Amino acid sequence: MAMAIKSNRFVHLCFLFFVVSTVLLQTTDGRSWKKRPLRQPCRNLVLYFHDVLYNGKNAGNATSTLVGAPQGANLTLLSGKDNQFGDLAVFDDPITLDNNFHSPPVGRAQGFYFYDMKNTFSAWLGFTFVLNSTDHKGTITFGGADPILTKYRDISVVGGTGDFLMTRGIATVNTDSYEGDVYFRLRVNITLYECY
Amino acid sequence: MAMAIKSNRFVHLCFLFFVVSTVLLQTTDGRSWKKRPLRQPCRNLVLYFHDVLYNGKNAGNATSTLVGAPQGANLTLLSGKDNQFGDLAVFDDPITLDNNFHSPPVGRAQGFYFYDMKNTFSAWLGFTFVLNSTDHKGTITFGGADPILTKYRDISVVGGTGDFLMTRGIATVNTDSYEGDVYFRLRVNITLYECY
Amino acid sequence: MAMAIKSNRFVHLCFLFFVVSTVLLQTTDGRSWKKRPLRQPCRNLVLYFHDVLYNGKNAGNATSTLVGAPQGANLTLLSGKDNQFGDLAVFDDPITLDNNFHSPPVGRAQGFYFYDMKNTFSAWLGFTFVLNSTDHKGTITFGGADPILTKYRDISVVGGTGDFLMTRGIATVNTDSYEGDVYFRLRVNITLYECY
């Protein structure tokens, strides 16, 4: 009798265990969930990059240049019309660990942006951080809308290589400083959720 | 003797359980699979966006403009030559819940497209849905080839922010309407497989 | 007494089992790990694509064309100045299984690239492989920096459709051949880690 009870208890234990494991599996895999729980971020980086736009006179210092614009615009100055709608720039900007343009760069931000709204100042960015420092070797690729006048803008991290192989996450961008149409500095707070 | 049998049974039960769990783990994790089972979509959205291309006369209404083209082309009209190969447009198009251009927009489709084939009519799209309605706040970023003459085209969803944090999936696009080179409307059926 | 020992043993076994399963769950899910183990690649493809840049005379054969450039440059020849910084090309290149330009194409590489450094020869690529062969039907979309003078460059695979639904991974690119500014051939070794 005592034996039977004990054996029943074990069966119950095992059954309970099975149920718990199954639930855990479903929770962690998410197959039975509409929305999956967000895991903890696996990495966080805060970096700055500095854009000096070519204006016809600063060929030596410029780190970006207009390469496309709507009909009637020229390529040496952002058109004041329509919030620069359509102006397309290619850039190769230094990345620094702090907000000092003269700090030793830890990599380059390479890509393009274009102004994409007629009635306000807004952009779209596609670019890659090419990092080559003691701490980080690899690339992170970003894409998304950048509503410049909003203080903090979220842009998608869509991939990476090297130390950032196949990473995903979010970059929260804010304009740390700007000087007219010639210079701007973006602070980029990168939160990664997938690290391999 | 009875004890021995019972204890053997428990050992078998536990072994069986272990095997079952291991198989489940492998199935759900996919590490031992070449191909992983596709989980159920976690969200589906059907949205429309409307593109009015600047043609030199409609500056007020236009929502997109050419900003690049091959040598010899101008930027006010799509060149009839070579299926517009190389013509590059930047857009900021209203997104609506139905196919009516005058419906209240729930967001903006912001990005660029270019015509990318000489012998047929085909494009490549990179853009972001910036949604700001009662139902959805956040962005979804898309990229991929758009063979316009195919009725339904699949484009990759490569990332998102806000309500669509790090989302992934597929957008099935079809041309719902067009008027010459000036207007087109795309119906976008978005199926998301990763929601956080 | 013997019973008690046995029952203890079972409890221990079950406890051990629970611990092992939990650890396995955490390992496979990664929630308690900063870095997740990389699973085995699920697919590997080696493909070549061929780019013939329009130079003002080869309209018939050209598979790509400049559509944007900095002020002062023209769109028929890459500017010799500043390592072509800012020159933007749109392409529709044939993809082949081997390095022979005349092999039957298995698809098209469609997208854009631009030269993005002033002091060296470097580019940024955004493109999609549109595959339509017996073996593969679907698209793979890529994005990232391409430091051309490096022998092997890694570019992110950010999405896909059809046979490559939502795929992710890495493309290792090397310049297999080039002829001045008119022709280059890239060998692309695609390693995919997510296959559905």
Side-chain angles (χ1 to χ4, degrees):
Chain A
M1 183 61 193
M3 267 295 296
I5 286 166
K6 267 193 208 299
S7 95
N8 269 345
R9 216 194 281 153
F10 287 126
V11 170
H12 288 159
L13 258 173
C14 278
F15 178 74
L16 184 71
F17 184 35
F18 189 79
V19 168
V20 166
S21 310
T22 309
V23 167
L24 274 174
L25 271 165
Q26 290 180 329
T27 308
T28 53
D29 176 70
R31 200 162 303 182
S32 60
W33 281 34
K34 280 292 169 192
K35 205 165 178 174
R36 292 199 285 172
L38 190 63
R39 64 169 66 85
Q40 290 296 310
C42 49
R43 205 176 286 184
N44 184 263
L45 290 89
V46 176
L47 296 167
Y48 295 80
F49 72 95
H50 308 260
D51 192 82
V52 181
L53 187 60
Y54 176 59
N55 66 1
K57 295 166 198 157
N58 58 352
N61 294 327
T63 64
S64 71
T65 182
L66 292 178
V67 303
Q71 182 246 2
N74 73 56
L75 297 174
T76 54
L77 273 179
L78 288 169
S79 64
K81 223 181 100 190
D82 282 346
N83 293 286
Q84 287 87 52
F85 182 64
D87 284 345
L88 168 66
V90 162
F91 62 91
D92 171 35
D93 294 346
I95 301 171
T96 57
L97 294 174
D98 60 21
N99 65 3
N100 188 339
F101 180 71
H102 299 289
S103 293
V106 294
R108 311 293 296 186
Q110 303 181 330
F112 65 107
Y113 58 84
F114 50 84
Y115 295 93
D116 66 357
M117 291 187 81
K118 285 160 70 180
N119 58 352
T120 186
F121 200 44
S122 182
W124 198 96
L125 298 170
F127 64 102
T128 300
F129 271 14
V130 181
L131 297 168
N132 191 10
S133 68
T134 336
D135 288 339
H136 303 296
K137 288 199 198 316
T139 72
I140 307 173
T141 292
F142 307 80
D146 177 21
I148 300 169
L149 300 185
T150 303
K151 189 160 170 65
Y152 295 100
R153 298 90 75 177
D154 281 346
I155 288 176
S156 295
V157 172
V158 299
T161 66
D163 287 354
F164 304 98
L165 180 63
M166 289 199 293
T167 199
R168 302 194 79 223
I170 286 291
T172 302
V173 170
N174 68 292
T175 306
D176 193 54
S177 171
Y178 68 95
E179 291 169 23
D181 288 342
V182 176
Y183 175 74
F184 67 78
R185 179 171 68 233
L186 296 186
R187 182 181 185 275
V188 187
N189 189 334
I190 305 168
T191 305
L192 302 176
Y193 291 90
E194 301 199 13
C195 306
Y196 294 97
Chain B
M1 182 64 193
M3 267 296 294
I5 288 167
K6 267 196 206 301
S7 96
N8 270 346
R9 215 195 283 152
F10 286 127
V11 170
H12 288 158
L13 257 173
C14 278
F15 178 73
L16 183 73
F17 184 34
F18 189 78
V19 168
V20 167
S21 309
T22 310
V23 167
L24 273 174
L25 271 166
Q26 290 179 328
T27 309
T28 53
D29 176 68
R31 200 163 303 182
S32 60
W33 282 34
K34 281 291 168 191
K35 206 165 177 174
R36 292 199 284 172
L38 189 63
R39 66 168 64 87
Q40 290 296 310
C42 50
R43 205 175 286 184
N44 184 261
L45 290 88
V46 176
L47 296 166
Y48 294 79
F49 72 95
H50 308 259
D51 191 81
V52 181
L53 188 59
Y54 176 59
N55 66 2
K57 295 167 199 157
N58 59 352
N61 293 328
T63 64
S64 72
T65 182
L66 292 178
V67 303
Q71 181 247 1
N74 73 56
L75 298 174
T76 53
L77 274 180
L78 288 168
S79 64
K81 223 183 101 190
D82 282 347
N83 294 286
Q84 287 88 53
F85 181 62
D87 284 345
L88 168 67
V90 162
F91 62 90
D92 171 35
D93 293 347
I95 301 170
T96 56
L97 295 174
D98 60 22
N99 65 2
N100 188 339
F101 180 70
H102 298 290
S103 293
V106 294
R108 310 294 296 187
Q110 302 181 331
F112 65 107
Y113 59 84
F114 50 85
Y115 294 94
D116 67 355
M117 291 187 82
K118 284 160 70 180
N119 58 352
T120 187
F121 200 43
S122 182
W124 198 96
L125 298 170
F127 64 101
T128 300
F129 272 14
V130 181
L131 296 169
N132 191 9
S133 68
T134 335
D135 288 339
H136 303 296
K137 288 199 198 315
T139 71
I140 307 173
T141 292
F142 308 80
D146 177 21
I148 300 169
L149 299 185
T150 304
K151 189 160 169 65
Y152 294 100
R153 300 90 75 176
D154 281 347
I155 288 176
S156 296
V157 173
V158 299
T161 65
D163 286 353
F164 304 98
L165 179 64
M166 290 200 293
T167 199
R168 302 195 79 224
I170 286 291
T172 303
V173 170
N174 68 292
T175 306
D176 192 55
S177 170
Y178 68 95
E179 292 169 22
D181 289 341
V182 176
Y183 175 74
F184 67 78
R185 178 172 68 233
L186 295 186
R187 183 181 183 275
V188 188
N189 189 334
I190 306 168
T191 306
L192 303 175
Y193 291 91
E194 299 198 14
C195 307
Y196 295 97
Chain C
M1 184 59 194
M3 266 297 294
I5 287 166
K6 268 196 206 301
S7 96
N8 270 347
R9 216 196 282 152
F10 287 128
V11 169
H12 288 158
L13 257 173
C14 276
F15 179 73
L16 184 72
F17 184 36
F18 188 79
V19 168
V20 166
S21 310
T22 309
V23 167
L24 274 175
L25 271 166
Q26 290 179 328
T27 309
T28 53
D29 177 69
R31 200 164 301 184
S32 59
W33 281 33
K34 281 292 168 190
K35 206 166 177 172
R36 292 199 285 173
L38 190 63
R39 65 169 66 87
Q40 289 297 310
C42 49
R43 206 176 285 184
N44 184 261
L45 290 90
V46 176
L47 295 167
Y48 295 80
F49 72 94
H50 308 260
D51 192 82
V52 181
L53 188 59
Y54 176 59
N55 66 1
K57 294 165 200 159
N58 58 353
N61 294 328
T63 64
S64 72
T65 182
L66 292 178
V67 302
Q71 182 247 1
N74 72 57
L75 298 174
T76 54
L77 274 180
L78 288 168
S79 63
K81 224 182 98 189
D82 283 345
N83 294 286
Q84 288 87 53
F85 181 64
D87 283 346
L88 168 67
V90 162
F91 62 91
D92 170 36
D93 293 348
I95 301 171
T96 57
L97 294 174
D98 60 21
N99 65 2
N100 187 340
F101 180 71
H102 298 290
S103 293
V106 294
R108 311 293 298 186
Q110 302 181 330
F112 64 108
Y113 57 85
F114 51 84
Y115 294 94
D116 67 356
M117 291 187 81
K118 284 160 70 180
N119 58 352
T120 187
F121 200 44
S122 182
W124 198 96
L125 297 170
F127 64 101
T128 299
F129 271 14
V130 181
L131 296 168
N132 191 9
S133 68
T134 336
D135 288 340
H136 302 297
K137 289 200 198 314
T139 71
I140 307 173
T141 293
F142 308 80
D146 177 20
I148 300 169
L149 300 185
T150 303
K151 189 160 168 63
Y152 295 100
R153 300 90 75 177
D154 281 346
I155 288 176
S156 295
V157 172
V158 299
T161 65
D163 286 354
F164 304 98
L165 180 64
M166 289 200 292
T167 199
R168 303 194 77 222
I170 287 290
T172 303
V173 170
N174 69 291
T175 306
D176 192 55
S177 171
Y178 68 94
E179 291 169 23
D181 289 341
V182 176
Y183 175 73
F184 67 79
R185 178 171 68 233
L186 296 186
R187 183 181 184 274
V188 188
N189 189 333
I190 306 168
T191 306
L192 303 176
Y193 292 89
E194 300 197 14
C195 306
Y196 296 97

